[in-house]
Amino acid sequence: MTTTDKAATQLSIAILGTCDTKLKELLYLRSQILAHVEDASITLIDVGRSPISDPAISIPQHDLLKNYGSSTSPDLSTVPRSEVTQTMTECATACLEDLNSKNAIHGVISVGGSSGTSLTSAAMRRALPFLMPKLIVSTMASGDTAPFVGESDITLMYSIVDIAGSNRILNGVLDNAAGGIVGMARAYQKRQLNDCTANDSESRTKTKTKIGITMFGVTTPACDTIRHYLTSNHACEVYIFHATGHGGRAMERLVTSGELDAIIDLTTAEITDEIVGGVMSAGPQRLEAGLKAGIPYIISVGACDLVNFGPRKTVPSRFEGEGRKIYKHNEAVTLVRADADESRRIGEFIAQKVKDFAKKPELVNIILPVGGISPLSAKGGVFEDKEADGVLFSSIEKGLQGTGVDVVKVEREVNDEEFAVGIAERLMGLINLARER
């Protein structure tokens, strides 16, 4: 095998860590990766506060600051920990972006406590694309991990014990993590090599129209019908996103990176949580990415009647008033019915986003299932509220008058097969219209 061939097939893994506090553990992790793949290329990046010297460190802290920091980077020995974390996050992000742009790594792993996990997870989220392996061994992996994972595909592994010193349990965790990142990096490397030598069948797959669809459990039948129709009748590849907040953000990140060609935003319940105060908001920028991209975009109001909370005891007291409808979806999820005023605000949010950000209004359609925006709100359902639904629909219609955006009311429930097929057909019409222009 030539040197060039070896470079092309050599497994390359980056390790991020604070070497001033975790050097022993990082070196053990490095040794276990090499135990699995003897000729692996390991890039150990020191993101610690204080510079440390060790021959195994590939990018020492001072080099990281020099090559990837800014001219205004502070003296880390004199500033609070929060400023250290911010500075090193920026440097680590720039470093990982550089390594990724050169195809120099197949995966990234780190170990850390709260500060280390915050630093390395932010760098991974910002710098690395979806599907590149990202693994963090952390004391923070059990509990609310949303601040670390966000909409990314970071994998967290709980360390069981603190990452402080050598013992049987921690070494076992680090050994498992080494095996995990090696396996994931090999899979990623194999896909890269296959992409370089793609056969005709794979090339044809890449010509498929990539469509994103948002889904909840209560809109699953409609999503299944749409997906089946599109993939059976057209050259489409469909990606389903669970509208839990992170799902909407993940979809919009893929739109921004050019990975999606069209969207059926069937389930916009994340907007309801943003407006009313539920726990599954995707943030105030929801809808903007697809509208700015100017791609074929169908927006509906599936599950916009539902405000999401955790177990029943977590529902805020302000929703306990007389007449407020509350439904226990399961042990982990409690739903509150959006009332008429909240529904008006949800509709106004949707209309305003479309007015402000639709790059190509002719490629945007709003489809309203008048028969029920979820099974719970359909006729006879526990959340049936014609007044609230009517206010939602009218606020959207009124807000989009004169914009060139089609707003279509359909006298069917969101999961009705004809409604779902109609949405799929309408999207294909928008896709064909976009191709003609």
Side-chain angles (χ1 to χ4, degrees):
M1 180 181 290
T2 67
T3 302
T4 302
D5 290 336
K6 183 176 180 180
T9 59
Q10 186 178 33
L11 193 70
S12 300
I13 295 172
I15 302 176
L16 285 176
T18 53
C19 292
D20 53 349
T21 62
K22 300 285 188 288
L23 181 62
K24 185 175 182 179
E25 296 83 1
L26 291 166
L27 293 179
Y28 181 79
L29 175 63
R30 180 180 183 275
S31 72
Q32 294 310 105
I33 293 174
L34 291 172
H36 289 290
V37 184
E38 188 175 333
D39 64 344
S41 172
I42 308 294
T43 303
L44 176 53
I45 305 167
D46 181 9
V47 294
R49 179 182 191 129
S50 304
I52 293 293
S53 178
D54 189 280
I57 300 175
S58 311
I59 303 179
Q61 184 247 35
H62 57 82
D63 285 351
L64 188 68
L65 287 167
K66 177 182 176 182
N67 296 328
Y68 298 103
S70 68
S71 58
T72 59
S73 294
D75 178 356
L76 299 187
S77 65
T78 64
V79 297
R81 174 181 286 191
S82 60
E83 195 167 344
V84 174
T85 300
Q86 179 180 344
T87 298
M88 297 311 286
T89 297
E90 293 169 356
C91 292
T93 299
C95 180
L96 291 180
E97 286 176 339
D98 184 37
L99 292 172
N100 180 55
S101 69
K102 296 173 181 176
N103 295 318
I105 49 175
H106 301 115
V108 181
I109 186 171
S110 72
V111 298
S114 59
S115 294
T117 303
S118 177
L119 189 165
T120 59
S121 64
M124 291 180 189
R125 288 196 312 272
R126 297 172 187 176
L128 302 177
F130 284 122
L131 303 184
M132 173 174 281
K134 315 165 190 69
L135 175 60
I136 303 176
V137 179
S138 173
T139 59
M140 305 298 290
S142 180
D144 181 9
T145 61
F148 308 124
V149 179
E151 77 282 7
S152 76
D153 55 349
I154 290 173
T155 301
L156 294 178
M157 178 181 288
Y158 186 48
S159 61
I160 304 176
V161 296
D162 205 345
I163 304 169
S166 176
N167 57 66
R168 179 183 63 84
I169 293 177
L170 181 60
N171 288 350
V173 171
L174 294 177
D175 189 20
N176 286 343
I181 193 63
V182 165
M184 290 190 285
R186 276 177 167 158
Y188 181 79
Q189 180 189 41
K190 183 177 180 180
R191 287 197 304 274
Q192 282 194 314
L193 293 173
N194 288 343
D195 285 345
C196 293
T197 58
N199 57 36
D200 291 340
S201 175
E202 290 170 324
S203 297
R204 285 194 297 270
T205 297
K206 291 182 180 180
T207 66
K208 289 183 177 180
T209 301
K210 300 184 288 292
I211 299 172
I213 304 176
T214 49
M215 183 177 82
F216 247 7
V218 296
T219 59
T220 296
C223 290
D224 286 346
T225 299
I226 293 169
R227 175 173 51 81
H228 178 73
Y229 180 90
L230 291 173
T231 56
S232 298
N233 296 283
H234 302 279
C236 296
E237 187 169 50
V238 173
Y239 303 83
I240 304 292
F241 297 88
H242 196 188
T244 57
H246 300 302
R249 282 195 288 265
M251 182 182 73
E252 294 188 330
R253 178 171 172 177
L254 286 171
V255 170
T256 301
S257 62
E259 293 290 330
L260 292 178
D261 303 311
I263 299 173
I264 296 177
D265 220 340
L266 182 75
T267 311
T268 44
E270 292 160 324
I271 294 171
T272 301
D273 279 11
E274 171 66 20
I275 296 295
V276 185
V279 298
M280 295 186 181
S281 168
Q285 290 79 37
R286 188 68 172 85
L287 303 181
E288 292 180 14
L291 294 167
K292 289 177 180 178
I295 59 177
Y297 196 175
I298 287 182
I299 300 171
S300 191
V301 289
C304 275
D305 52 330
L306 310 180
V307 190
N308 292 272
F309 295 101
R312 181 64 179 82
K313 64 182 180 181
T314 67
V315 176
S317 59
R318 69 180 184 274
F319 295 107
E320 300 290 353
E322 183 179 350
R324 178 65 84 161
K325 298 175 182 178
I326 299 176
Y327 177 75
K328 180 178 176 182
H329 184 61
N330 56 45
E331 292 299 326
V333 176
T334 307
L335 307 173
V336 175
R337 213 308 180 181
D339 64 20
D341 180 65
E342 292 158 352
S343 296
R344 173 187 56 78
R345 290 158 54 202
I346 293 162
E348 289 173 348
F349 178 99
I350 292 171
Q352 196 63 49
K353 289 294 182 182
V354 174
K355 287 172 67 176
D356 290 347
F357 296 102
K359 181 179 180 181
K360 296 180 180 180
E362 69 277 13
L363 297 182
V364 180
N365 281 188
I366 313 294
I367 314 297
L368 306 175
V370 177
I373 59 179
S374 82
L376 298 179
S377 290
K379 186 175 181 179
V382 294
F383 277 177
E384 182 180 7
D385 187 335
K386 294 302 181 185
E387 179 190 3
D389 288 350
V391 170
L392 172 66
F393 302 150
S394 63
S395 62
I396 293 173
E397 290 178 299
K398 181 180 178 181
L400 292 175
Q401 285 179 353
T403 62
V405 173
D406 283 349
V407 180
V408 181
K409 295 170 77 172
V410 180
E411 296 291 334
R412 294 185 180 276
E413 189 254 334
V414 66
N415 287 320
D416 182 273
E417 184 175 356
E418 289 190 27
F419 177 79
V421 170
I423 278 188
E425 291 176 337
R426 185 172 283 269
L427 181 72
M428 292 311 303
L430 293 178
I431 290 172
N432 290 332
L433 177 62
R435 288 170 178 165
E436 293 168 1
R437 299 189 169 218

